[in-house]
Amino acid sequence: MTRERIGIFGGTFDPPHVGHLILAAEAQDQLRLDRLLWVLTPDPPHKQDQSISPLAIRMKLLMAAIGDNPSFELCRVDMDRPGPHYAVDTVKILKEQYPSAEFFYLIGGDSLHDLPTWFQPRRLIELIDGLGVMRRPGDQVDLRNLEQKISGLSAKICFIEAPLLEISARQIRQRIAAGRAYRYYVPPAVFRLIEELKLYRQPFSSAIADSDV
Ligand code: ATP
């Protein structure tokens, strides 16, 4: 029996943008993933110094982004447990939930560069079957250096072929706040929601609170 191949794509998704969707869809195609779990991180350990939109808003935005693709699923694993939400723990929990599946963790090249600073990166690499990496403009990926810090890493890496996309959530938030064009950097349903809820005009003015999740 062939094992189910599951992708795990974690992020803040504030907001989800076409860079995320292209990464996810290319990874799904190139790594032959049966489905892809979008793990929304409530409170990312590496973004403690930034203001992040309330979880309820990010969940609505993420559902708007992925809701029309039956092989994309919102995964509540990090939303339903107290932090800190380390990727290694997320993977352990998902492996318990799907004991016979193969797991592919998906990240951008900037996150690959930062991987040695994550909690227990070697353990994370041991637990997964593959690390799908989509390069990002300006990322600095030195595989030899990374392998020295996390042995076993290069054997697990699968680079995803895709155009380099100079798109980030931060840049989109800044564009909206400055009244600049941003419409086609996000999926249409995300654009409609941002307009309807008047998000990102000024920091986190919205009627939706975390208690609504
Ligand atoms: P922010 O600008 O707020 O830091 P972001 O656009 O980097 O956000 P995240 O939710 O932090 O989005 O990213 C989730 C994952 O998606 C990370 O692994 C990140 O490297 C990857 N990613 C985001 N945008 C791109 C892109 N344009 N190309 C490749 N990977 C990307």
Side-chain angles (χ1 to χ4, degrees):
M1 197 187 81
T2 55
R3 296 168 68 194
E4 189 179 22
R5 294 165 72 89
I6 301 180
I8 304 174
F9 187 29
T12 319
F13 305 121
D14 188 22
H17 53 69
V18 297
H20 296 130
L21 286 153
I22 289 172
L23 186 160
E26 288 291 358
Q28 183 167 34
D29 181 26
Q30 294 173 37
L31 303 176
R32 302 180 314 282
L33 303 176
D34 297 300
R35 57 189 165 136
L36 206 155
L37 307 179
W38 292 68
V39 179
L40 183 58
T41 309
D43 192 16
H46 61 290
K47 293 191 179 176
Q48 294 295 338
D49 54 339
Q50 292 175 28
S51 317
I52 294 169
S53 301
L55 186 58
I57 290 184
R58 290 184 288 122
M59 196 174 82
K60 269 181 173 273
L61 291 168
L62 187 55
M63 282 315 297
I66 67 172
D68 63 349
N69 184 330
S71 60
F72 287 171
E73 294 167 37
L74 169 74
C75 175
R76 295 188 58 107
V77 63
D78 283 359
M79 294 164 62
D80 291 342
R81 70 189 175 100
H85 302 101
Y86 297 121
V88 67
D89 297 324
T90 309
V91 171
K92 278 183 202 158
I93 295 168
L94 289 173
K95 284 185 75 129
E96 280 166 21
Q97 288 179 7
Y98 305 93
S100 56
E102 285 185 280
F103 281 99
F104 296 82
Y105 199 90
L106 309 181
I107 54 176
D110 56 317
S111 304
L112 176 62
H113 174 266
D114 295 341
L115 197 60
T117 67
W118 290 23
F119 183 61
Q120 298 184 342
R122 192 177 306 179
R123 182 79 187 114
L124 171 67
I125 294 304
E126 277 167 10
L127 286 172
I128 56 177
D129 297 280
L131 182 70
V133 178
M134 180 169 133
R135 299 295 303 270
R136 206 170 174 180
D139 65 10
Q140 290 164 332
V141 173
D142 177 348
L143 265 191
R144 199 183 307 169
N145 181 270
L146 283 167
E147 177 68 33
Q148 269 167 9
K149 292 182 175 154
I150 310 171
S151 62
L153 175 73
S154 26
K156 292 277 173 85
I157 289 190
C158 325
F159 283 105
I160 295 160
E161 278 182 45
L164 287 177
L165 297 170
E166 196 156 2
I167 299 174
S168 70
R170 175 191 296 267
Q171 175 206 77
I172 292 168
R173 294 193 299 273
Q174 288 171 346
R175 280 176 166 269
I176 299 171
R180 294 183 55 205
Y182 76 98
R183 178 170 184 163
Y184 298 108
Y185 290 82
V186 295
V190 171
F191 173 73
R192 283 196 293 274
L193 203 50
I194 291 174
E195 291 295 304
E196 188 190 316
L197 300 177
K198 299 190 175 9
L199 301 176
Y200 307 117
R201 262 55 174 185
Q202 55 198 41
F204 318 120
S205 54
S206 169
I208 305 175
D210 272 350
S211 54
D212 298 329
V213 178

